Amino acid sequence: MSAKTAKKIRKKFGKQPEPSRVHEAGPLFGRTIIYSVLILALALAVGSLYYSYNANKLPPPLPPPPADALYKQADQPIDKRVEDLLSRMTLEEKIGQMAMVDKNSIKKPADISRYGLGAVLSGAGAKPEDNTPAGWLNMVETLKRQSEHSRLGIPLLYGVDATHGHAGVPGATVFPHAIGLGAAGSPELVRSIASATAEELAATGINWNFAPMLDAPEDIRWGRTYEAFSSDPELNARLGAAYVEGIQKPVDDRPTLLSGAKHFMGVGSMEWLSSNNKNFKIDQGATPGRYDLLDNQYLVPFAAAVKADTGSVMVGLNYFGDKRVIDNKYLVTDKLKNELGFKGFVVSDWYGAYEFSRTSKYKANITTINAGLDMAMLPYDYKDFVKNVRRAVKKDEISQSRIDDAVRRILYQKFKAGLFEDAGYTVTFDKFGSAGNRQLARRAVAASAVLLKNNNTLPLSKNSGHILVAGSGADNIGRQSGAWTVEWQGIDGNWLPGATSILEGIKQVVGLTSNVEYDKEANFDNLTAKADVGIAIISEKPYAEGWGDNAKPVLEEDDLKAIERLKASANKVIIVTITGRPLFMSDQITAADAVIAAWLPGSEGRGVADVLFGDQAFTGKLPIAWPAGIEQLPIKTDGTTADGKPPLFSRGFSL
Ligand code: BGC
């Protein structure tokens, strides 16, 4: 071989034997080697192309089942229907059921039937172009119809995070975020809210809600503190069970929905600076592997949700000790499924089967499914998932019986929710953002307000004379609704149709009996005399997940100034906090005449006015301890602070 030929080969195929050495073996022999190498390389290339073509290729479709197949008969017991359907499914169809895909990642709608996908979600912000209830219904039903066209016609689950109402859709009733409901502490109220949320979901065709959130936050710096009811696992258990019942129990002719208790488990105890995500500080982090706390702390709310028959449980993105929870067979299978007796299906969180995994996607699929994962919120590449899981089953790295168990669980829930039958439910939008649901939300807002301080100031008289209102949260529906409202991170500002700001609520309550004057910055320079009362409604900008991790949750500079100016302009100053967590604000609390924690009340700002002016009594209690400063964090669920001193206000406090 000439040096020139060898160079050409090297360029094409990488490192080759040195031309001189090839040459030494004689011209003919040298050429034979080159040809062999070429043929081998060609064979390898063709082989790998053929393999990947075949791996991606689905087997030819089987004929459809008979019209009277047992699983199609509504009067048959669910177990029998599940077994009949399972016995008709190909391996690929089973794996498809185990896949959940974000609606924005579906390459073409027909893939839903082609791959027999089990579920679709609208991750926060994955909305239809026509962002109205009718637009949502149309989007969801179009995708659901695709699955009806699949060979076996297995219906599709469509999930969203309606954690404080169906708040992804403008015009929905936005209920207080969970922390407010924890303050209200009433299972009946939570059950009614979940049920009203289910009505609004059903109106848009959605049949699965990724709620309730059962984490018990120990560190208020965490950006998801407000998504939790409280730091008390027992209270979370009571409220969580009520939420599951409200979502899953049909009222009137409304179809059953599935609830999604999350995030299994120990997520509220992740440690500051343990995040595996470089953008975050605590979210997606690590929980110390305290196995001794499982039964009395971490599993308590999940045991209650299981008892209330939750259809699904979502596993968090956290590590427990040095292992991801999703990889932990002991936690997911032995504890949750076997010991607690969970009969629904286990779903992973967003990209959770892969996120922070230290292995390949293929291996992550094997580990998580073997640990007990039934449905993966992929949420992107379903083709890859089907290919990998199929390969793993063929190689016996995942057993056929594990796959059957996963699919059996998913199908059971689909039958139980009546998805295979047309329940004759006629979709109407009457319940969507209805007066009744808004009334319920307003009641919840009042019930969630916690009175932290009161120097003979509250309730205010409606004849207070001159009332000044200021602060970033007074006239900002976006802030009072918080994140997970239309957009994942929420929207700062007044834009939500049908909602009432707190300022507007105050004006409505006092009517013409008092003069209400508003300026966000509290520039009331033209006053001839001090006003009777100043109300500073301070707030946090909306945030979701790790983007809300905050090393020092304090008041915004503008709100601090507004409080100061109000003090100069009014005889009494009341502070209302519109925040997802307690803030470090001991000085402001000391200086104020009254302080109310109103959390993230949602669309019905009038509920705040109801307690301010005594139309409703204060009944809320602190759902989480209020620390004096950073040195007290974390505050354990049993109330122990990091500095050993009592917090500013303990959990359960109220006047
Ligand atoms: C969150 C979950 C949520 C999921 C789907 C994830 O980022 O951790 O709570 O259910 O997204 O939107």
Side-chain angles (χ1 to χ4, degrees):
M1 176 175 61
S2 70
K4 213 169 145 198
T5 317
K7 201 171 156 202
K8 254 198 215 158
I9 293 169
R10 207 166 40 232
K11 208 168 151 204
K12 199 158 175 204
F13 296 107
K15 199 161 186 255
Q16 296 291 320
E18 286 299 318
S20 58
R21 289 191 55 198
V22 174
H23 210 71
E24 262 167 37
L28 182 63
F29 187 54
R31 214 173 295 144
T32 310
I33 287 189
I34 299 300
Y35 288 146
S36 316
V37 168
L38 273 174
I39 288 165
L40 192 68
L42 200 68
L44 274 175
V46 170
S48 90
L49 268 178
Y50 181 75
Y51 172 77
S52 70
Y53 172 74
N54 268 315
N56 281 318
K57 213 179 87 183
L58 295 172
L62 296 175
D68 64 348
L70 190 147
Y71 80 89
K72 295 186 178 181
Q73 299 171 23
D75 55 351
Q76 292 289 336
I78 294 185
D79 282 323
K80 278 196 170 170
R81 298 178 78 187
V82 170
E83 290 313 316
D84 180 64
L85 177 51
L86 198 65
S87 71
R88 296 172 191 274
M89 293 172 78
T90 63
L91 175 61
E92 291 72 18
E93 284 166 334
K94 290 177 185 173
I95 299 169
Q97 282 300 304
M98 297 170 68
M100 167 154 50
V101 185
D102 185 55
K103 83 108 183 125
N104 287 343
S105 292
I106 295 171
K107 300 204 173 56
K108 39 183 184 250
D111 277 358
I112 292 178
S113 54
R114 184 169 143 78
Y115 289 87
L117 300 180
V120 169
L121 84 149
S122 269
K127 46 187 181 280
E129 224 164 88
D130 169 19
N131 196 8
T132 62
W136 275 81
L137 179 67
N138 183 36
M139 169 183 80
V140 173
E141 290 300 324
T142 305
L143 297 180
K144 276 160 82 178
R145 236 167 285 136
Q146 286 295 335
S147 73
E148 284 157 22
H149 294 153
S150 64
R151 183 178 77 92
L152 296 163
I154 304 176
L156 188 72
L157 279 167
Y158 201 111
V160 295
D161 295 278
T163 49
H164 64 142
H166 193 2
V169 189
T173 311
V174 182
F175 292 95
H177 268 290
I179 193 145
L181 303 185
S186 156
E188 289 68 40
L189 181 67
V190 167
R191 196 177 293 111
S192 310
I193 288 175
S195 181
T197 302
E199 279 173 358
E200 299 202 14
L201 286 167
T204 55
I206 287 164
N207 48 27
W208 188 8
N209 188 6
F210 306 136
M213 203 263 225
L214 301 174
D215 307 346
E218 294 187 324
D219 195 322
I220 57 142
R221 288 172 290 186
W222 185 31
R224 304 195 77 164
T225 302
Y226 64 86
E227 288 187 63
F229 292 118
S230 80
S231 64
D232 175 4
E234 302 284 346
L235 179 59
N236 295 356
R238 287 196 296 281
L239 300 184
Y243 195 98
V244 170
E245 287 160 13
I247 286 290
Q248 297 199 162
K249 210 163 137 218
V251 178
D252 306 328
D253 62 347
R254 182 267 280 155
T256 314
L257 279 82
L258 240 70
S259 77
K262 66 185 186 187
H263 307 89
F264 186 81
M265 45 126 273
V267 179
S269 303
M270 292 177 304
E271 291 186 303
W272 183 247
L273 296 184
S274 74
S275 182
N276 289 292
N277 184 322
K278 66 177 177 3
N279 298 307
F280 303 162
K281 300 279 185 252
I282 183 167
D283 193 40
Q284 305 181 359
T287 308
R290 293 281 307 271
Y291 283 86
D292 57 317
L293 297 181
L294 291 184
D295 294 341
N296 294 328
Q297 184 175 330
Y298 298 140
L299 296 178
V300 169
F302 290 97
V306 167
K307 211 164 153 215
D309 211 13
T310 183
S312 69
V313 167
M314 187 190 293
V315 177
L317 296 172
N318 59 323
Y319 272 76
F320 190 69
D322 57 2
K323 205 172 180 178
R324 300 185 314 153
V325 177
I326 192 85
D327 290 336
N328 194 321
K329 186 171 185 215
Y330 174 71
L331 297 176
V332 179
T333 297
D334 298 355
K335 292 301 269 187
L336 176 64
K337 289 182 173 173
N338 297 344
E339 205 177 301
L340 299 184
F342 174 52
K343 296 278 175 279
F345 62 91
V346 169
V347 61
S348 48
D349 199 345
W350 186 269
Y351 200 64
Y354 311 123
E355 193 79 272
F356 315 124
S357 165
R358 291 163 193 158
T359 60
S360 66
K361 278 189 162 187
Y362 174 70
K363 287 204 174 126
N365 287 143
I366 295 173
T367 318
T368 53
I369 293 173
N370 284 337
L373 175 65
D374 301 313
M375 182 187 277
M377 190 190 289
L378 292 167
Y380 312 111
D381 196 346
Y382 43 99
K383 296 184 188 176
D384 219 31
F385 176 75
V386 173
K387 182 177 84 182
N388 283 338
V389 177
R390 182 162 67 156
R391 185 171 147 220
V393 175
K394 297 254 146 108
K395 290 177 74 181
D396 235 4
E397 290 175 293
I398 300 175
S399 69
Q400 188 55 254
S401 64
R402 179 69 269 276
I403 298 288
D404 285 350
D405 171 53
V407 178
R408 199 175 271 127
R409 287 167 177 272
I410 295 164
L411 294 179
Y412 191 94
Q413 293 303 323
K414 290 188 172 183
F415 279 113
K416 185 164 155 265
L419 304 190
F420 282 79
E421 277 73 52
D422 175 6
Y425 180 73
T426 342
V427 172
T428 61
F429 298 119
D430 314 354
K431 298 282 169 64
F432 198 88
S434 66
N437 287 352
R438 288 183 187 280
Q439 191 56 35
L440 174 65
R442 177 175 162 190
R443 187 152 65 78
V445 173
S448 68
V450 180
L451 185 58
L452 293 176
K453 178 174 180 184
N454 189 11
N455 283 348
N456 291 323
T457 307
L458 293 173
L460 292 172
S461 155
K462 290 179 191 170
N463 300 311
S464 287
H466 193 184
I467 302 173
L468 305 180
V469 179
S472 64
D475 190 24
N476 191 322
I477 289 161
R479 286 198 177 203
Q480 75 192 39
S481 300
W484 301 98
T485 311
V486 181
E487 296 294 343
W488 180 40
Q489 296 294 324
I491 301 177
D492 195 4
N494 270 335
W495 46 270
L496 205 61
T500 309
S501 73
I502 299 171
L503 173 67
E504 185 54 35
I506 293 174
K507 286 183 176 165
Q508 286 173 7
V509 168
V510 299
L512 298 173
T513 51
S514 288
N515 168 21
V516 178
E517 217 180 321
Y518 165 71
D519 185 79
K520 187 170 152 214
E521 273 97 41
N523 288 316
F524 300 109
D525 302 334
N526 301 330
L527 298 183
T528 48
K530 268 193 165 186
D532 303 279
V533 202
I535 308 175
I537 304 174
I538 63 96
S539 66
E540 284 184 302
K541 274 205 193 87
Y543 51 80
E545 303 193 29
W547 299 108
D549 289 353
N550 183 346
K552 207 170 168 217
V554 291
L555 271 81
E556 287 180 359
E557 212 39 54
D558 284 355
D559 278 338
L560 282 172
K561 283 190 196 144
I563 294 174
E564 285 311 310
R565 290 194 192 116
L566 267 188
K567 271 195 236 152
S569 316
N571 291 324
K572 293 209 167 196
V573 172
I574 301 161
I575 299 177
V576 180
T577 61
I578 302 298
T579 62
R581 54 183 147 212
L583 301 182
F584 304 143
M585 51 183 287
S586 305
D587 292 349
Q588 290 73 37
I589 292 175
T590 308
D593 294 288
V595 180
I596 300 166
W599 315 109
L600 299 169
S603 57
E604 307 314 305
R606 174 119 181 220
V608 175
D610 288 337
V611 284
L612 271 170
F613 292 91
D615 283 346
Q616 295 288 336
F618 282 98
T619 53
K621 294 193 171 93
L622 269 190
I624 187 164
W626 195 296
I630 204 159
E631 63 289 350
Q632 302 208 285
L633 299 177
I635 303 179
K636 298 288 174 194
T637 57
D638 66 4
T640 326
T641 55
D643 68 354
K645 296 187 186 144
L648 191 59
F649 302 109
S650 304
R651 187 176 66 217
F653 178 88
S654 76
L655 287 178

